[in-house]
């Protein structure tokens, strides 16, 4: 997608559904939950790129247990707002995760296909433990039976942008989460 000017850019932001403050409070709470769950045990946070990079950056700053960071890239959405249904691992972890307590950090679970595949792949590598934390969950859109261990916000079936989430690679840098305006009549 190509955005030609700033008016076009703003016009697609329909309404804010989660404010910066709401997100930051929930992220801090999640970090405290991780601290008490792992109680000093070292962990490996695995961020699924690109969508989760903002969430991961904020979350890890509030975690106090010893913590390594790893990145993986998986793609299931291309330029459209419908899932292609194809999950591709485009970048893999560099760590050998056996011996690690792993937490997968995801931006949003939609059909569930991405995480279903990523979890299956990582479990086969025998981590000591594996949990999934997602910022957003859209349970209405689920195509495979998948549930995260921890969800910060459950949202209705809307296409959302901001705080790492994109439309056509734009809007990831918004500090809040907004509904995307699909058409001008919308
Ligand atoms: P799933 O495999 O259908 O669960 O898709 C998960 C991926 O699709 C997420 O990690 C996002 O990158 C993308 N995605 C799903 N819903 C949205 C949305 O509302 N806005 C932006 N990206 C989304
Ligand atoms: Mg993603």
């Amino acid at each position: 997608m190509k955005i030609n000017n700033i008016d076009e850019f703003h016009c697609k932001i329909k309404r804010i559904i989660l404010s910066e403050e709401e997100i930051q409070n929930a992220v801090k709470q999640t970090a405290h939950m991780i601290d008490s769950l792992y109680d000093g045990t070292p962990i490996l946070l695995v961020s699924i790129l690109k969508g989760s990079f903002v969430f991961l950056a904020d979350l890890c700053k509030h975690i106090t247990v010893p913590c390594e960071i790893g990145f993986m890239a998986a793609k299931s959405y291309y330029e459209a707002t419908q899932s292609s249904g194809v999950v591709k691992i485009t970048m893999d972890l560099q760590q050998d995760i056996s011996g690690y307590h792993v937490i997968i950090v995801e931006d949003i679970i939609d059909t569930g296909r991405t995480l279903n595949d990523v979890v299956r792949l990582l479990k086969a590598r025998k981590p000591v433990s594996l949990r999934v934390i997602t910022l957003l969950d859209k349970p209405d859109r689920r195509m495979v039976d998948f549930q995260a261990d921890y969800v910060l916000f459950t949202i209705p079936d809307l296409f959302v942008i901001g705080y790492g989430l994109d439309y056509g690679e734009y809007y990831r840098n918004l500090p809040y989460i907004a509904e995307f305006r699909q058409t001008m009549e919308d």
Side-chain angles (χ1 to χ4, degrees):
M1 186 187 67
K2 186 93 193 81
I3 297 256
N4 297 299
N5 57 58
I6 189 90
D7 293 336
E8 226 175 89
F9 180 81
H10 285 307
C11 150
K12 302 268 188 204
I13 305 171
K14 189 172 172 188
R15 66 189 171 101
I16 296 178
I17 63 165
L18 292 167
S19 70
E20 184 171 4
E21 195 188 353
E22 276 176 280
I23 297 169
Q24 293 302 330
N25 287 338
V27 169
K28 277 181 211 151
Q29 265 184 27
T30 307
H32 298 326
M33 184 211 53
I34 290 172
D35 282 346
S36 51
L37 214 51
Y38 292 87
D39 192 24
T41 307
I43 58 172
L44 170 66
L45 296 178
V46 173
S47 156
I48 311 295
L49 294 174
K50 300 176 190 173
S52 70
F53 82 103
V54 181
F55 176 36
L56 171 88
D58 282 345
L59 180 69
C60 73
K61 285 185 280 187
H62 299 289
I63 290 175
T64 62
V65 297
C67 160
E68 285 183 48
I69 312 280
F71 293 101
M72 259 181 109
K75 233 183 167 181
S76 70
Y77 268 73
Y78 295 97
E79 289 249 322
T81 54
Q82 288 298 307
S83 172
S84 65
V86 182
V87 179
K88 264 181 37 188
I89 306 295
T90 51
M91 188 184 96
D92 207 343
L93 283 170
Q94 287 174 345
Q95 289 94 338
D96 168 3
I97 63 166
S98 63
Y100 277 100
H101 289 278
V102 175
I103 305 178
I104 298 177
V105 178
E106 179 60 308
D107 54 351
I108 187 165
I109 307 179
D110 185 33
T111 65
R113 286 182 181 123
T114 308
L115 276 188
N116 203 46
D117 283 19
V118 169
V119 164
R120 191 158 4 103
L121 185 81
L122 294 192
K123 271 191 178 158
R125 298 178 186 173
K126 306 264 184 274
V128 183
S129 70
L130 182 69
R131 283 195 169 95
V132 175
I133 289 182
T134 186
L135 175 71
L136 305 173
D137 190 7
K138 281 200 281 196
D140 297 348
R141 299 242 321 154
R142 207 65 101 247
M143 305 281 286
V144 295
D145 183 21
F146 184 86
Q147 250 187 303
D149 297 288
Y150 192 78
V151 176
L152 279 69
F153 301 99
T154 299
I155 60 165
D157 180 9
L158 301 171
F159 195 82
V160 293
I161 49 173
Y163 201 71
L165 291 119
D166 73 308
Y167 176 79
E169 293 300 327
Y170 288 101
Y171 303 104
R172 294 191 195 275
N173 57 319
L174 300 178
Y176 51 80
I177 289 171
E179 181 180 356
F180 179 74
R181 191 185 307 279
Q182 311 264 1
T183 63
M184 282 307 128
E185 298 78 54
D186 196 13

